[in-house]
Amino acid sequence: MIKNFIIAILCVTSVGIYAQNSTASPYSYFGVGDLRATGTVENQMMGGLSVYTDSIHINLNNPAAYSKLGLTTYTAGLSRKEYRFESNDSKENASISNLDYLSLGVNLGKGFGLGFGIMPYSSVGYNFLSERNTDQGLVTESFNGEGGLNRVYISVGYELFKNFSLGVTSNFNFGNQNTNSYQTIEDVQFGSFNKIESRIKGFDFNFGASFTPAITEKHTLFTSIVVNTQANLVSENTRTIGSFSTVSGRDIEVTEVDLEAQGLARTGVQIPTTATLGVGYGQDKKWFLGAEYSFQELSSFENELTPASNLEYQNAQTYRLGGYYIPDYTSFTSYMKRLTYRAGAKVSKSGIVVDNKEINDFGITFGLGLPLSSMSRSLSNINIGFELGKRGTKYGDLVEESYFKVNVGLSLNDKWFIPRKIN
């Protein structure tokens, strides 16, 4: 058992070190980047719900759910996302593949569970340009950025009394963000550039509670509240400006800006608190339907290093609806009857307002949970999901982003901490 535990830690650490998180969305320019889905494939395919918990799947969003685990559970998720960007005068396509999470949950005794893992938290990956005519000629400005934040976490969940559980997660966030801007003027030999590199790190905490009383002999009410506290991150910054040759692309003059004198060498990044309320109803291993509401006071967010005059942050809200259906969990004769069919939808007001236009997101999700064995007693499964969505708008010279995402998640179950029997 100890050997398995060590191997699991090494796998999580090594994959986390080499995992790259990325996006192609122009909206990753704002805030700390494009926030990634933090739930497992099972939860994402129900519209991103975190209110549902069971004994064989890890719930990455609600730490109280670890108290429900009956077995040790390994889970990992991959995704492929296809983008289509459309503005008033152009269309572009892009695609990105990612490791979404790698996690381990352990049952330490009745009503007590532990989990840890790694996942990307946000991604930066944009590249766009703007052109305008001036008295000096055509001015072209290009902007690109890359990087993002990763997150390692440890969670504990405990059933305080029957059907009522509490949990807490400690997240350590870390990563780099590089933002570059270039300006050239028609028929002018030299252009100018501005490059900013930020190394960001810091903690935040996630507190969760769930209450799942039995309403009838077969049916259960699911309720939850999750509060992700304000992340007080620290950003260590460097900035260089200079000029370059528009013919060869080589830098001509480079100057490192004294950010220390401006009080910007070390800045704070506060990601406001998010609160989520959820409720659901269902029959164990048969069906479930739930809804959630999330609220974040994003209006208090600001970026001291790169303020934008056309950008405003408002409070963010998200509504989610989803569920699952299993025709016959115990069927020995039909594998198809033991599949889990999931579906959901989400509507999100991101809180980002650009040129007085709100950047909202709408998506629908659906997927399948496939048992890994033809025998009904198998608890391990592979989960496949799909998401169709649209974000932003092309009005006001902005970009409308359509996306299609394919998720694949693996959930493996095993027994640890089994006492030896001596005959």
Side-chain angles (χ1 to χ4, degrees), residues 220-249:
T220 302
L221 174 68
F222 293 81
T223 62
S224 69
I225 180 170
V226 178
V227 178
N228 198 169
T229 63
Q230 176 173 293
N232 295 306
L233 311 182
V234 175
S235 178
E236 298 178 348
N237 312 302
T238 59
R239 180 183 180 187
T240 55
I241 58 176
S243 59
F244 64 96
S245 168
T246 58
V247 177
S248 66

PDB file of all heavy atoms in Angstrom, residues 220-249:
ATOM      1  N   THR A 220     -32.972  10.828  -2.753  1.00  0.00           N
ATOM      2  CA  THR A 220     -32.092  11.648  -1.917  1.00  0.00           C
ATOM      3  C   THR A 220     -32.119  13.096  -2.377  1.00  0.00           C
ATOM      4  O   THR A 220     -32.135  13.377  -3.583  1.00  0.00           O
ATOM      5  CB  THR A 220     -30.636  11.126  -1.978  1.00  0.00           C
ATOM      6  OG1 THR A 220     -30.607   9.766  -1.555  1.00  0.00           O
ATOM      7  CG2 THR A 220     -29.719  11.959  -1.098  1.00  0.00           C
ATOM      8  N   LEU A 221     -32.123  13.986  -1.410  1.00  0.00           N
ATOM      9  CA  LEU A 221     -31.980  15.415  -1.686  1.00  0.00           C
ATOM     10  C   LEU A 221     -30.508  15.784  -1.531  1.00  0.00           C
ATOM     11  O   LEU A 221     -29.883  15.448  -0.529  1.00  0.00           O
ATOM     12  CB  LEU A 221     -32.829  16.227  -0.717  1.00  0.00           C
ATOM     13  CG  LEU A 221     -32.681  17.756  -0.792  1.00  0.00           C
ATOM     14  CD1 LEU A 221     -33.251  18.283  -2.103  1.00  0.00           C
ATOM     15  CD2 LEU A 221     -33.353  18.417   0.407  1.00  0.00           C
ATOM     16  N   PHE A 222     -29.959  16.492  -2.516  1.00  0.00           N
ATOM     17  CA  PHE A 222     -28.563  16.930  -2.477  1.00  0.00           C
ATOM     18  C   PHE A 222     -28.534  18.455  -2.320  1.00  0.00           C
ATOM     19  O   PHE A 222     -29.155  19.183  -3.105  1.00  0.00           O
ATOM     20  CB  PHE A 222     -27.837  16.559  -3.767  1.00  0.00           C
ATOM     21  CG  PHE A 222     -27.666  15.083  -3.980  1.00  0.00           C
ATOM     22  CD1 PHE A 222     -28.715  14.317  -4.487  1.00  0.00           C
ATOM     23  CD2 PHE A 222     -26.467  14.449  -3.680  1.00  0.00           C
ATOM     24  CE1 PHE A 222     -28.564  12.959  -4.698  1.00  0.00           C
ATOM     25  CE2 PHE A 222     -26.314  13.092  -3.882  1.00  0.00           C
ATOM     26  CZ  PHE A 222     -27.368  12.338  -4.389  1.00  0.00           C
ATOM     27  N   THR A 223     -27.815  18.943  -1.320  1.00  0.00           N
ATOM     28  CA  THR A 223     -27.625  20.377  -1.158  1.00  0.00           C
ATOM     29  C   THR A 223     -26.155  20.639  -0.849  1.00  0.00           C
ATOM     30  O   THR A 223     -25.483  19.815  -0.216  1.00  0.00           O
ATOM     31  CB  THR A 223     -28.483  20.958  -0.017  1.00  0.00           C
ATOM     32  OG1 THR A 223     -28.095  20.344   1.220  1.00  0.00           O
ATOM     33  CG2 THR A 223     -29.959  20.706  -0.274  1.00  0.00           C
ATOM     34  N   SER A 224     -25.658  21.783  -1.279  1.00  0.00           N
ATOM     35  CA  SER A 224     -24.249  22.098  -1.029  1.00  0.00           C
ATOM     36  C   SER A 224     -24.026  23.592  -1.047  1.00  0.00           C
ATOM     37  O   SER A 224     -24.785  24.347  -1.682  1.00  0.00           O
ATOM     38  CB  SER A 224     -23.333  21.434  -2.067  1.00  0.00           C
ATOM     39  OG  SER A 224     -23.499  22.025  -3.345  1.00  0.00           O
ATOM     40  N   ILE A 225     -22.999  24.003  -0.355  1.00  0.00           N
ATOM     41  CA  ILE A 225     -22.499  25.368  -0.431  1.00  0.00           C
ATOM     42  C   ILE A 225     -20.979  25.298  -0.470  1.00  0.00           C
ATOM     43  O   ILE A 225     -20.363  24.568   0.305  1.00  0.00           O
ATOM     44  CB  ILE A 225     -22.988  26.239   0.748  1.00  0.00           C
ATOM     45  CG1 ILE A 225     -22.417  27.662   0.610  1.00  0.00           C
ATOM     46  CG2 ILE A 225     -22.644  25.615   2.089  1.00  0.00           C
ATOM     47  CD1 ILE A 225     -23.038  28.651   1.574  1.00  0.00           C
ATOM     48  N   VAL A 226     -20.391  26.022  -1.403  1.00  0.00           N
ATOM     49  CA  VAL A 226     -18.936  26.039  -1.570  1.00  0.00           C
ATOM     50  C   VAL A 226     -18.485  27.496  -1.635  1.00  0.00           C
ATOM     51  O   VAL A 226     -19.057  28.296  -2.392  1.00  0.00           O
ATOM     52  CB  VAL A 226     -18.498  25.298  -2.848  1.00  0.00           C
ATOM     53  CG1 VAL A 226     -16.987  25.367  -3.013  1.00  0.00           C
ATOM     54  CG2 VAL A 226     -18.954  23.849  -2.811  1.00  0.00           C
ATOM     55  N   VAL A 227     -17.470  27.834  -0.853  1.00  0.00           N
ATOM     56  CA  VAL A 227     -16.918  29.184  -0.845  1.00  0.00           C
ATOM     57  C   VAL A 227     -15.426  29.100  -1.146  1.00  0.00           C
ATOM     58  O   VAL A 227     -14.661  28.520  -0.384  1.00  0.00           O
ATOM     59  CB  VAL A 227     -17.142  29.888   0.508  1.00  0.00           C
ATOM     60  CG1 VAL A 227     -16.501  31.272   0.487  1.00  0.00           C
ATOM     61  CG2 VAL A 227     -18.626  29.990   0.814  1.00  0.00           C
ATOM     62  N   ASN A 228     -15.045  29.631  -2.298  1.00  0.00           N
ATOM     63  CA  ASN A 228     -13.627  29.722  -2.670  1.00  0.00           C
ATOM     64  C   ASN A 228     -13.145  31.108  -2.251  1.00  0.00           C
ATOM     65  O   ASN A 228     -13.548  32.116  -2.829  1.00  0.00           O
ATOM     66  CB  ASN A 228     -13.465  29.533  -4.169  1.00  0.00           C
ATOM     67  CG  ASN A 228     -12.053  29.181  -4.591  1.00  0.00           C
ATOM     68  OD1 ASN A 228     -11.813  28.804  -5.714  1.00  0.00           O
ATOM     69  ND2 ASN A 228     -11.086  29.300  -3.685  1.00  0.00           N
ATOM     70  N   THR A 229     -12.322  31.163  -1.193  1.00  0.00           N
ATOM     71  CA  THR A 229     -11.929  32.445  -0.618  1.00  0.00           C
ATOM     72  C   THR A 229     -11.067  33.253  -1.576  1.00  0.00           C
ATOM     73  O   THR A 229     -10.505  32.725  -2.535  1.00  0.00           O
ATOM     74  CB  THR A 229     -11.158  32.233   0.690  1.00  0.00           C
ATOM     75  OG1 THR A 229      -9.942  31.523   0.403  1.00  0.00           O
ATOM     76  CG2 THR A 229     -11.980  31.445   1.687  1.00  0.00           C
ATOM     77  N   GLN A 230     -10.968  34.542  -1.299  1.00  0.00           N
ATOM     78  CA  GLN A 230     -10.150  35.428  -2.127  1.00  0.00           C
ATOM     79  C   GLN A 230      -8.718  34.938  -2.190  1.00  0.00           C
ATOM     80  O   GLN A 230      -8.098  34.637  -1.173  1.00  0.00           O
ATOM     81  CB  GLN A 230     -10.179  36.847  -1.572  1.00  0.00           C
ATOM     82  CG  GLN A 230      -9.270  37.816  -2.322  1.00  0.00           C
ATOM     83  CD  GLN A 230      -9.450  39.237  -1.875  1.00  0.00           C
ATOM     84  OE1 GLN A 230     -10.499  39.827  -2.088  1.00  0.00           O
ATOM     85  NE2 GLN A 230      -8.437  39.810  -1.233  1.00  0.00           N
ATOM     86  N   ALA A 231      -8.194  34.839  -3.395  1.00  0.00           N
ATOM     87  CA  ALA A 231      -6.797  34.446  -3.591  1.00  0.00           C
ATOM     88  C   ALA A 231      -5.923  35.690  -3.541  1.00  0.00           C
ATOM     89  O   ALA A 231      -6.078  36.594  -4.365  1.00  0.00           O
ATOM     90  CB  ALA A 231      -6.625  33.743  -4.932  1.00  0.00           C
ATOM     91  N   ASN A 232      -5.046  35.742  -2.563  1.00  0.00           N
ATOM     92  CA  ASN A 232      -4.123  36.873  -2.440  1.00  0.00           C
ATOM     93  C   ASN A 232      -2.764  36.442  -2.986  1.00  0.00           C
ATOM     94  O   ASN A 232      -1.923  35.907  -2.263  1.00  0.00           O
ATOM     95  CB  ASN A 232      -4.016  37.306  -0.974  1.00  0.00           C
ATOM     96  CG  ASN A 232      -5.327  37.841  -0.452  1.00  0.00           C
ATOM     97  OD1 ASN A 232      -5.922  38.737  -1.029  1.00  0.00           O
ATOM     98  ND2 ASN A 232      -5.806  37.262   0.645  1.00  0.00           N
ATOM     99  N   LEU A 233      -2.580  36.653  -4.279  1.00  0.00           N
ATOM    100  CA  LEU A 233      -1.369  36.222  -4.962  1.00  0.00           C
ATOM    101  C   LEU A 233      -0.367  37.364  -5.035  1.00  0.00           C
ATOM    102  O   LEU A 233      -0.717  38.540  -4.948  1.00  0.00           O
ATOM    103  CB  LEU A 233      -1.710  35.730  -6.372  1.00  0.00           C
ATOM    104  CG  LEU A 233      -2.872  34.740  -6.495  1.00  0.00           C
ATOM    105  CD1 LEU A 233      -3.054  34.312  -7.940  1.00  0.00           C
ATOM    106  CD2 LEU A 233      -2.670  33.535  -5.595  1.00  0.00           C
ATOM    107  N   VAL A 234       0.893  36.983  -5.215  1.00  0.00           N
ATOM    108  CA  VAL A 234       1.978  37.952  -5.363  1.00  0.00           C
ATOM    109  C   VAL A 234       2.583  37.796  -6.753  1.00  0.00           C
ATOM    110  O   VAL A 234       2.886  36.681  -7.193  1.00  0.00           O
ATOM    111  CB  VAL A 234       3.060  37.749  -4.287  1.00  0.00           C
ATOM    112  CG1 VAL A 234       4.242  38.672  -4.534  1.00  0.00           C
ATOM    113  CG2 VAL A 234       2.473  37.999  -2.893  1.00  0.00           C
ATOM    114  N   SER A 235       2.750  38.907  -7.442  1.00  0.00           N
ATOM    115  CA  SER A 235       3.322  38.904  -8.788  1.00  0.00           C
ATOM    116  C   SER A 235       4.646  39.665  -8.789  1.00  0.00           C
ATOM    117  O   SER A 235       4.695  40.847  -8.428  1.00  0.00           O
ATOM    118  CB  SER A 235       2.348  39.558  -9.775  1.00  0.00           C
ATOM    119  OG  SER A 235       2.893  39.610 -11.081  1.00  0.00           O
ATOM    120  N   GLU A 236       5.722  38.977  -9.168  1.00  0.00           N
ATOM    121  CA  GLU A 236       7.037  39.602  -9.312  1.00  0.00           C
ATOM    122  C   GLU A 236       7.243  39.925 -10.785  1.00  0.00           C
ATOM    123  O   GLU A 236       7.240  39.024 -11.632  1.00  0.00           O
ATOM    124  CB  GLU A 236       8.128  38.684  -8.784  1.00  0.00           C
ATOM    125  CG  GLU A 236       7.981  38.391  -7.288  1.00  0.00           C
ATOM    126  CD  GLU A 236       9.041  37.438  -6.781  1.00  0.00           C
ATOM    127  OE1 GLU A 236       9.758  36.828  -7.617  1.00  0.00           O
ATOM    128  OE2 GLU A 236       9.160  37.278  -5.550  1.00  0.00           O
ATOM    129  N   ASN A 237       7.439  41.205 -11.091  1.00  0.00           N
ATOM    130  CA  ASN A 237       7.349  41.662 -12.470  1.00  0.00           C
ATOM    131  C   ASN A 237       8.656  42.269 -12.989  1.00  0.00           C
ATOM    132  O   ASN A 237       9.399  42.904 -12.243  1.00  0.00           O
ATOM    133  CB  ASN A 237       6.250  42.728 -12.574  1.00  0.00           C
ATOM    134  CG  ASN A 237       4.969  42.309 -11.894  1.00  0.00           C
ATOM    135  OD1 ASN A 237       4.390  41.276 -12.222  1.00  0.00           O
ATOM    136  ND2 ASN A 237       4.520  43.103 -10.927  1.00  0.00           N
ATOM    137  N   THR A 238       8.889  42.074 -14.274  1.00  0.00           N
ATOM    138  CA  THR A 238       9.956  42.776 -14.994  1.00  0.00           C
ATOM    139  C   THR A 238       9.364  43.330 -16.290  1.00  0.00           C
ATOM    140  O   THR A 238       8.431  42.740 -16.861  1.00  0.00           O
ATOM    141  CB  THR A 238      11.142  41.856 -15.331  1.00  0.00           C
ATOM    142  OG1 THR A 238      10.674  40.757 -16.140  1.00  0.00           O
ATOM    143  CG2 THR A 238      11.785  41.318 -14.065  1.00  0.00           C
ATOM    144  N   ARG A 239       9.898  44.466 -16.727  1.00  0.00           N
ATOM    145  CA  ARG A 239       9.394  45.099 -17.946  1.00  0.00           C
ATOM    146  C   ARG A 239      10.552  45.635 -18.754  1.00  0.00           C
ATOM    147  O   ARG A 239      11.451  46.287 -18.212  1.00  0.00           O
ATOM    148  CB  ARG A 239       8.440  46.229 -17.591  1.00  0.00           C
ATOM    149  CG  ARG A 239       7.857  46.966 -18.796  1.00  0.00           C
ATOM    150  CD  ARG A 239       6.977  48.117 -18.341  1.00  0.00           C
ATOM    151  NE  ARG A 239       6.401  48.838 -19.473  1.00  0.00           N
ATOM    152  CZ  ARG A 239       5.703  49.963 -19.371  1.00  0.00           C
ATOM    153  NH1 ARG A 239       5.481  50.490 -18.172  1.00  0.00           N
ATOM    154  NH2 ARG A 239       5.225  50.561 -20.448  1.00  0.00           N
ATOM    155  N   THR A 240      10.552  45.359 -20.054  1.00  0.00           N
ATOM    156  CA  THR A 240      11.570  45.893 -20.960  1.00  0.00           C
ATOM    157  C   THR A 240      10.881  46.604 -22.119  1.00  0.00           C
ATOM    158  O   THR A 240       9.829  46.163 -22.602  1.00  0.00           O
ATOM    159  CB  THR A 240      12.478  44.782 -21.511  1.00  0.00           C
ATOM    160  OG1 THR A 240      11.679  43.761 -22.143  1.00  0.00           O
ATOM    161  CG2 THR A 240      13.299  44.152 -20.398  1.00  0.00           C
ATOM    162  N   ILE A 241      11.466  47.716 -22.524  1.00  0.00           N
ATOM    163  CA  ILE A 241      10.977  48.453 -23.681  1.00  0.00           C
ATOM    164  C   ILE A 241      12.142  48.669 -24.631  1.00  0.00           C
ATOM    165  O   ILE A 241      13.312  48.562 -24.235  1.00  0.00           O
ATOM    166  CB  ILE A 241      10.359  49.812 -23.283  1.00  0.00           C
ATOM    167  CG1 ILE A 241      11.394  50.667 -22.542  1.00  0.00           C
ATOM    168  CG2 ILE A 241       9.118  49.606 -22.424  1.00  0.00           C
ATOM    169  CD1 ILE A 241      10.893  52.060 -22.204  1.00  0.00           C
ATOM    170  N   GLY A 242      11.848  48.947 -25.876  1.00  0.00           N
ATOM    171  CA  GLY A 242      12.935  49.172 -26.828  1.00  0.00           C
ATOM    172  C   GLY A 242      12.434  49.308 -28.243  1.00  0.00           C
ATOM    173  O   GLY A 242      11.238  49.482 -28.491  1.00  0.00           O
ATOM    174  N   SER A 243      13.356  49.218 -29.162  1.00  0.00           N
ATOM    175  CA  SER A 243      13.034  49.342 -30.579  1.00  0.00           C
ATOM    176  C   SER A 243      13.629  48.167 -31.337  1.00  0.00           C
ATOM    177  O   SER A 243      14.547  47.482 -30.855  1.00  0.00           O
ATOM    178  CB  SER A 243      13.576  50.659 -31.147  1.00  0.00           C
ATOM    179  OG  SER A 243      14.983  50.741 -30.976  1.00  0.00           O
ATOM    180  N   PHE A 244      13.095  47.918 -32.534  1.00  0.00           N
ATOM    181  CA  PHE A 244      13.567  46.807 -33.356  1.00  0.00           C
ATOM    182  C   PHE A 244      13.483  47.184 -34.828  1.00  0.00           C
ATOM    183  O   PHE A 244      12.754  48.112 -35.214  1.00  0.00           O
ATOM    184  CB  PHE A 244      12.753  45.542 -33.096  1.00  0.00           C
ATOM    185  CG  PHE A 244      11.296  45.656 -33.490  1.00  0.00           C
ATOM    186  CD1 PHE A 244      10.856  45.197 -34.724  1.00  0.00           C
ATOM    187  CD2 PHE A 244      10.359  46.228 -32.633  1.00  0.00           C
ATOM    188  CE1 PHE A 244       9.533  45.308 -35.095  1.00  0.00           C
ATOM    189  CE2 PHE A 244       9.021  46.345 -32.994  1.00  0.00           C
ATOM    190  CZ  PHE A 244       8.611  45.887 -34.225  1.00  0.00           C
ATOM    191  N   SER A 245      14.237  46.470 -35.635  1.00  0.00           N
ATOM    192  CA  SER A 245      14.236  46.711 -37.074  1.00  0.00           C
ATOM    193  C   SER A 245      13.040  46.019 -37.708  1.00  0.00           C
ATOM    194  O   SER A 245      12.817  44.822 -37.491  1.00  0.00           O
ATOM    195  CB  SER A 245      15.533  46.186 -37.697  1.00  0.00           C
ATOM    196  OG  SER A 245      15.447  46.167 -39.106  1.00  0.00           O
ATOM    197  N   THR A 246      12.251  46.750 -38.475  1.00  0.00           N
ATOM    198  CA  THR A 246      11.108  46.144 -39.156  1.00  0.00           C
ATOM    199  C   THR A 246      11.540  45.282 -40.341  1.00  0.00           C
ATOM    200  O   THR A 246      10.744  44.511 -40.867  1.00  0.00           O
ATOM    201  CB  THR A 246      10.144  47.229 -39.657  1.00  0.00           C
ATOM    202  OG1 THR A 246      10.845  48.113 -40.546  1.00  0.00           O
ATOM    203  CG2 THR A 246       9.566  48.024 -38.489  1.00  0.00           C
ATOM    204  N   VAL A 247      12.793  45.402 -40.744  1.00  0.00           N
ATOM    205  CA  VAL A 247      13.311  44.611 -41.866  1.00  0.00           C
ATOM    206  C   VAL A 247      13.828  43.267 -41.378  1.00  0.00           C
ATOM    207  O   VAL A 247      13.428  42.207 -41.858  1.00  0.00           O
ATOM    208  CB  VAL A 247      14.431  45.381 -42.600  1.00  0.00           C
ATOM    209  CG1 VAL A 247      15.006  44.514 -43.728  1.00  0.00           C
ATOM    210  CG2 VAL A 247      13.904  46.696 -43.160  1.00  0.00           C
ATOM    211  N   SER A 248      14.736  43.287 -40.380  1.00  0.00           N
ATOM    212  CA  SER A 248      15.354  42.047 -39.901  1.00  0.00           C
ATOM    213  C   SER A 248      14.662  41.466 -38.673  1.00  0.00           C
ATOM    214  O   SER A 248      14.824  40.285 -38.357  1.00  0.00           O
ATOM    215  CB  SER A 248      16.822  42.294 -39.571  1.00  0.00           C
ATOM    216  OG  SER A 248      16.942  43.190 -38.471  1.00  0.00           O
ATOM    217  N   GLY A 249      13.892  42.296 -37.955  1.00  0.00           N
ATOM    218  CA  GLY A 249      13.257  41.832 -36.729  1.00  0.00           C
ATOM    219  C   GLY A 249      14.165  41.861 -35.519  1.00  0.00           C
ATOM    220  O   GLY A 249      13.744  41.526 -34.411  1.00  0.00           O
TER     221      GLY A 249
END
